[in-house]
Amino acid sequence: MNSSTKNILSPFTFPVSGIEITSRIVMAPMTTYSGNDDGTTNDAEIEYYRERNQTAGLLLTACAYVTKQGKAFHGQIGVDTDVMIPSLQRIATTLKENGNKAVLQIHHGGRMSAPEELADGQSISASAVAAEREDAQVPREMTSTEIEETIAAYGEATRRAIAAGFDGVEIHGANTYLIQQFFSPHSNLRTDKWGGSLQNRMNFPLAVTDAVLKAAALAPRPFLVGYRISPEEAENPGITIKDTLQLVEALAMKKLDYLHVSVMDFWGGSIRDTTDATPRTQLIAAQVGAKLPVIGVGNIHTPEEVTRVLHTGIPLVAMARELLMDPKWLIKVENNTTDQIKTELDLNDQSALKIPDPLWERLISNGDWMPIKK
Ligand SMILES: Cc1cc2nc3c(=O)[nH]c(=O)nc-3n(C[C@H](O)[C@H](O)[C@H](O)COP(=O)(O)O)c2cc1C
């Protein structure tokens, strides 16, 4: 074991739940677009998870919708009714087969939900403001009752994750979905307690966190709760790092086990101000890292790149695309065969990689997104 692999393979204990993992690697949440139409999983998806269950100490699932109105993609899994529990149990059991910990990401798409996936074809959000993207639907503004029901749905989703055997849930507060929409001055123009001031825009994310923590406290075994955040939005108005540093400060007061900072390039700077090159995750870790462990992510592929992030003091590193391309990544680190780590997608490898067809189609149709082996 050299010094770089030693860091990667050192154990980590989450501060609130006391749950221990045996490496510093996290499998980032990845939607597979491959679930059944009713929100349940299937054999192809289970095989995909089985292939990756040794690749990280903490294994995050694809995001699961907490209400049907929150479904964002075709083939997304659900955690919206008790009927989903056996299906979720299959995922949890498969991910835990080799002793690693399984965490369900819980999600609501808000204005990013695909209208064709919704019973009434109408997405909802904090306010009736469309996202800045081509053909975006104008969402319907949520009523106060709907807001309360949606908060409760995150708690119910947590109860189901416990019943299904997961070790925790991750609140998906990132990537422009509903929780972020409430925090954003772009999508939240409300004048009631859920909008207006920065403090009011924090109310929905914090109320969801409280509902999840309340449900988690009833777990009959250690159960962790993490929160995923996007530090900035490019839109004007949009979330600034100044806003985010206040939200993370409030989140750090809660009994969370980690904060996962979602950026596409860990080492990249601000997406709002190109003169500001400081990595956002480092700013957040400097603010709250002593109280709340931070997970870094974004364009990190090799053991050297992981080690470079760990050396900044950030204790955990998540990878998404890398673990699609090489599910044996961590095993190669353990076996000292890191020279065999694959950092390109080989178009001949779909069946060896156990990637279901809908996900494969997405990966290979976006050449800029996935490095494809020539
Ligand atoms: C196929 C795919 C699906 C994804 N689905 C999710 C998701 O369900 N939830 C989420 O928070 N992020 C999702 N992401 C974002 C990743 O978790 C990660 O933040 C991003 O890909 C950057 O990490 P990477 O450079 O290691 O790929 C997805 C990414 C990919 C490639």
Side-chain angles (χ1 to χ4, degrees):
M1 210 187 285
N2 60 37
S3 66
S4 124
T5 54
K6 194 166 156 229
N7 282 331
I8 295 171
L9 298 174
S10 64
F12 181 79
T13 304
F14 289 95
V16 178
S17 62
I19 286 177
E20 187 175 293
I21 54 174
T22 52
S23 74
R24 300 309 181 100
I25 303 298
V26 175
M27 179 166 83
M30 277 180 281
T31 297
T32 67
Y33 310 97
S34 307
N36 299 326
D37 285 349
D38 64 359
T40 57
T41 191
N42 51 45
D43 292 349
E45 209 179 32
I46 291 296
E47 283 311 304
Y48 159 89
Y49 280 126
R50 176 163 292 122
E51 183 67 17
R52 286 167 181 77
N53 69 15
Q54 295 182 73
T55 211
L58 197 71
L59 300 155
L60 304 185
T61 65
C63 61
Y65 53 86
V66 298
T67 69
K68 285 204 172 44
Q69 191 70 42
K71 185 175 180 187
F73 325 100
H74 188 71
Q76 188 179 0
I77 53 165
V79 59
D80 58 317
T81 64
D82 285 6
V83 173
M84 296 295 151
I85 293 173
S87 161
L88 294 166
Q89 204 159 23
R90 278 189 81 192
I91 298 177
T93 306
T94 305
L95 287 174
K96 291 168 66 165
E97 261 168 14
N98 281 297
N100 294 312
K101 304 296 179 192
V103 170
L104 183 73
Q105 194 187 46
I106 56 175
H107 165 254
H108 188 299
R111 70 179 183 179
M112 300 301 280
S113 292
E116 64 276 13
E117 296 296 323
L118 306 177
D120 60 358
Q122 177 60 62
S123 60
I124 57 172
S125 187
S127 300
V129 181
E132 286 185 14
R133 59 174 177 155
E134 224 176 297
D135 299 327
Q137 184 183 53
V138 179
R140 178 175 59 72
E141 178 177 305
M142 292 167 76
T143 64
S144 305
T145 309
E146 269 175 323
I147 293 173
E148 299 289 354
E149 285 169 357
T150 305
I151 291 165
Y154 282 93
E156 282 292 277
T158 305
R159 174 181 64 73
R160 294 182 192 111
I162 295 165
F166 281 98
D167 298 297
V169 291
E170 179 175 277
I171 301 168
H172 195 345
N175 301 359
T176 75
Y177 297 114
L178 184 69
I179 295 177
Q180 183 175 329
Q181 289 161 32
F182 269 89
F183 185 51
S184 165
H186 184 274
S187 38
N188 186 347
L189 308 179
R190 299 182 77 93
T191 52
D192 59 7
K193 71 169 181 172
W194 303 110
S197 63
L198 174 65
Q199 206 58 41
N200 281 2
R201 284 189 280 117
M202 283 171 23
N203 281 340
F204 185 77
L206 296 177
V208 167
T209 304
D210 287 341
V212 169
L213 288 169
K214 195 169 164 206
L218 299 176
R221 56 180 190 278
F223 189 83
L224 64 79
V225 179
Y227 190 104
R228 197 168 214 217
I229 195 166
S230 290
E232 289 178 333
E233 286 176 341
E235 290 87 353
N236 256 318
I239 296 169
T240 64
I241 189 69
K242 212 166 145 224
D243 293 348
T244 293
L245 291 178
Q246 294 209 40
L247 176 58
V248 297
E249 196 58 60
L251 289 170
M253 309 292 283
K254 311 265 176 202
K255 291 205 165 310
L256 290 167
D257 262 312
Y258 70 78
L259 184 70
H260 190 173
V261 183
S262 178
V263 290
M264 279 313 278
D265 180 3
F266 178 89
W267 294 105
S270 172
I271 58 168
R272 296 182 64 83
D273 173 4
T274 47
T275 62
D276 180 355
T278 313
R280 306 293 90 179
T281 313
Q282 280 189 289
L283 289 174
I284 291 171
Q287 174 96 7
V288 294
K291 295 176 267 188
L292 183 57
V294 168
I295 303 181
V297 69
N299 217 15
I300 301 163
H301 300 281
T302 64
E304 293 70 29
E305 287 165 353
V306 170
T307 304
R308 193 174 158 221
V309 174
L310 294 176
H311 275 155
T312 67
I314 287 168
L316 297 162
V317 173
M319 291 184 286
R321 290 167 295 177
E322 180 54 43
L323 304 184
L324 288 178
M325 294 186 281
D326 197 342
K328 303 277 183 278
W329 194 98
L330 192 58
I331 294 174
K332 289 175 185 173
V333 170
E334 283 162 359
N335 294 346
N336 254 323
T337 52
T338 52
D339 54 323
Q340 291 169 25
I341 285 176
K342 295 180 184 165
T343 52
E344 291 179 319
L345 186 70
D346 188 327
L347 291 179
N348 299 309
D349 279 355
Q350 185 192 355
S351 92
L353 292 172
K354 305 275 194 297
I355 296 182
D357 290 342
L359 176 55
W360 183 258
E361 294 307 324
R362 294 236 176 188
L363 297 178
I364 63 172
S365 64
N366 193 342
D368 293 341
W369 194 30
M370 289 301 288
I372 304 228
K373 192 171 173 193
K374 298 274 182 298

